[in-house]
Amino acid sequence: MDSYALLRPLLFRLDPETAHRWTLAALDLTVKLGPFNPFKKHLPKLETEVMGLRFPNPVGLAAGLDKNGDHIEGLAGLGFGFIEVGTVTPRPQPGNSKPRLFRLPEAEALINRMGFNNKGLAHLAGNLERLGKRGYILGVNLGKNKDTPQEKAVEDYLVGLEKVYPLADYVTLNISSPNTPGLRDLQHGKALDSLLSRLDETRESLAQTHGRRLPIAVKIAPDLSPAQLEEQAQTFLRHHMDAVIATNTTLDHSAVQNLPHGLETGGLSGRPVFDQSTSVVRRLHNRLGNRLPIIACGGILTPEDAIAKFEAGARLVQLYTGLIYHGSGLIDLTLDRLKKRQMHPTGEP
Ligand SMILES: Cc1cc2nc3c(=O)[nH]c(=O)nc-3n(C[C@H](O)[C@H](O)[C@H](O)COP(=O)(O)O)c2cc1C
C-alpha cells in the first residue's frame, strides 16, 4: 500500500479545507529538506512542445489548488511538468462563506463553491518574482473580482495579463468557474468576442515591450452545447488564442444527486465529470485538428484516464481531484504509463 493510502483516512477525517492546508504545509517542509526530500525522484523524459513552450512532461497541476502561488516549489517537486497557479483576481477577496468544499468519496468527486478566495495579484506576483530557476512550465490563471461590474470584467483580465506578463510562461483566462456570478456569460457571443479581442490587442503591445509573446489559454466549462462549442472554437482562432483548457467543473449534479452532499451548490469535479469533459476534448479536436492545442482536465483519477484524454486529442493533461483521492503517486504512475506508451505505441511489450 502506498503512503498516501495510509494517510488518506486521517486526512479525510478533517474538514476538506483544513486537510488541504495541512497537506500543503507538509509539502513546503519537504522543500526545506533539500536533497533529503522524500519526494525527490528521477522522472522519465517525456518532453513535449505546446504553445511554443517546452514542457518537461505533459502532466500538470490544474488551477485552484495553489491559488496564491504560495507552494509552487513543493508542488513542482512532486514531478509535474507544469503548474497552473490561481485563479487570481486583481484585488484580494475572501470567497464564499464556509463550508464551501465537500467530498463525495463514493463517487471520487468534490463539489466546491470557493468563489475565487485569493490574496490578489500583488501577492501572487511577489511570489513569482522570488522563484529561482525553474525546471517546469508556470501558468497563471486569471479571473475577475466578484464586485467588479460585468461591463468592466475585461479590465480585470487586462490588469492580470499586464502584471504577470514578465513572470509567467503562459496565462489562462478563466471564464468558466461557476462560482462567480456572471463569469460564464463571458463564454459566449459578443462578450467573448470583445474580451478576447482586447486581450489579444494588449498582448501584442506587451509583446513589443517585453520582446516575447506570452501564450494565452482559455478555460471552458463542460456544460456547453455543440453549437456553443463551435462558436467558441471560431472565436478562439479569430483572436489568436494559443490553447483551450477543457474543462472546468460541471453544474450537472445528476450523477451524484443521491449521495451525501450531492446537491450542494457549486461545481462538481472528479470521476463524474470525466465523460462530459472528455467528449468536449474530442469534439474540439475533431473540429480544430492541430490548429489549437487542447489541455484536458476533468476526472483524471488513474493513468488510463489520462491516456483516454490523449486519445481524444489532448496534448497536455491537468490533475486536481485525482490528487485528493490518490495522492501524488498518481503523477508517477501516469508518467510511467506514458513512458511505456511512448516506447510501445502499439501496446506490445
Ligand atoms: C476546490 C477546487 C477549487 C478550484 N478552483 C479553481 C480555480 O480557482 N480556477 C480554475 O480555473 N479552476 C478551479 N477548479 C477546477 C479545476 O482546476 C478543474 O478544472 C476541475 O476540478 C476538473 O478537474 P478534476 O476533475 O481533475 O478536479 C477548482 C476545483 C476544485 C475542486
Side-chain angles (χ1 to χ4, degrees):
M1 196 191 265
D2 66 78
S3 54
Y4 189 75
L6 291 170
L7 202 59
R8 198 180 93 163
L10 298 176
L11 285 172
F12 275 29
R13 275 203 218 156
L14 303 170
D15 100 87
E17 282 198 55
T18 309
H20 185 108
R21 254 197 327 277
W22 285 19
T23 310
L24 289 172
L27 199 57
D28 290 345
L29 278 178
T30 64
V31 176
K32 298 206 169 73
L33 296 174
F36 304 107
N37 180 349
F39 291 110
K40 209 137 203 133
K41 51 192 98 164
H42 203 75
L43 297 170
K45 260 192 149 9
L46 282 161
E47 278 191 14
T48 183
E49 191 173 323
V50 182
M51 303 189 275
L53 304 169
R54 276 213 85 73
F55 288 71
N57 73 62
V59 179
L61 174 70
L65 197 113
D66 187 7
K67 289 181 191 276
N68 302 302
D70 286 333
H71 310 281
I72 297 174
E73 291 191 337
L75 289 163
L78 298 177
F80 287 114
F82 64 115
I83 307 254
E84 192 167 309
V85 293
T87 295
V88 63
T89 56
R91 287 163 286 114
Q93 62 178 32
N96 292 322
S97 56
K98 294 180 188 171
R100 54 192 178 178
L101 176 57
F102 305 89
R103 292 188 200 100
L104 291 78
E106 299 87 343
E108 292 192 295
L110 298 171
I111 291 179
N112 92 84
R113 51 169 179 270
M114 307 299 285
F116 292 169
N117 54 308
N118 79 103
K119 299 177 186 168
L121 256 180
H123 175 93
L124 178 100
N127 279 340
L128 303 192
E129 276 157 13
R130 280 188 290 277
L131 288 174
K133 193 173 161 338
R134 291 188 263 113
Y136 53 90
I137 294 290
L138 182 66
V140 178
N141 180 303
L142 304 173
K144 76 176 265 293
N145 278 107
K146 186 178 178 187
D147 60 6
T148 298
Q150 195 69 358
E151 63 281 7
K152 295 246 169 68
V154 180
E155 311 299 328
D156 278 11
Y157 291 94
L158 290 174
V159 169
L161 178 70
E162 210 155 320
K163 184 82 181 170
V164 304
Y165 201 98
L167 301 168
D169 293 315
Y170 74 92
V171 293
T172 298
L173 310 177
N174 181 4
I175 49 174
S176 49
S177 173
N179 302 311
T180 296
L183 196 85
R184 286 186 169 201
D185 297 342
L186 298 171
Q187 291 189 107
H188 313 291
K190 263 186 84 84
L192 180 66
D193 194 66
S194 74
L195 173 75
L196 299 190
S197 133
R198 294 276 306 278
L199 277 148
D200 190 29
E201 201 180 280
T202 305
R203 185 242 310 256
E204 287 310 308
S205 74
L206 287 167
Q208 300 289 327
T209 315
H210 295 280
R212 174 176 76 109
R213 181 183 179 278
L214 188 73
I216 304 180
V218 189
K219 186 162 176 179
I220 62 173
D223 313 302
L224 297 165
S225 70
Q228 285 172 327
L229 254 187
E230 170 65 33
E231 183 211 355
Q232 280 191 343
Q234 294 310 323
T235 315
F236 296 161
L237 289 176
R238 194 163 57 249
H239 297 300
H240 315 110
M241 294 296 108
D242 299 274
V244 185
I245 304 187
T247 67
N248 214 310
T249 55
T250 179
L251 285 171
D252 178 1
H253 291 201
S254 53
V256 296
Q257 62 187 349
N258 296 320
L259 297 177
H261 302 306
L263 292 177
E264 288 288 348
T265 300
L268 174 66
S269 60
R271 175 84 61 212
V273 78
F274 178 83
D275 285 341
Q276 202 182 348
S277 191
T278 308
S279 74
V280 172
V281 172
R282 190 171 297 110
R283 204 177 279 275
L284 271 177
H285 181 66
N286 288 343
R287 187 69 196 78
L288 294 166
N290 294 328
R291 284 183 293 168
L292 196 57
I294 301 164
I295 303 171
C297 180
I300 300 176
L301 276 294
T302 66
E304 275 57 45
D305 297 334
I307 300 287
K309 299 284 188 187
F310 288 112
E311 284 175 353
R315 300 281 309 283
L316 301 167
V317 294
Q318 289 182 325
L319 313 176
Y320 192 142
T321 305
L323 296 169
I324 309 295
Y325 284 97
H326 299 284
S328 65
L330 177 59
I331 308 164
D332 308 77
L333 290 174
T334 305
L335 294 178
D336 284 347
R337 180 74 181 76
L338 289 173
K339 189 70 196 175
K340 286 196 184 103
R341 181 173 177 259
Q342 191 186 58
M343 291 191 302
H344 309 290
T346 54
E348 286 145 24

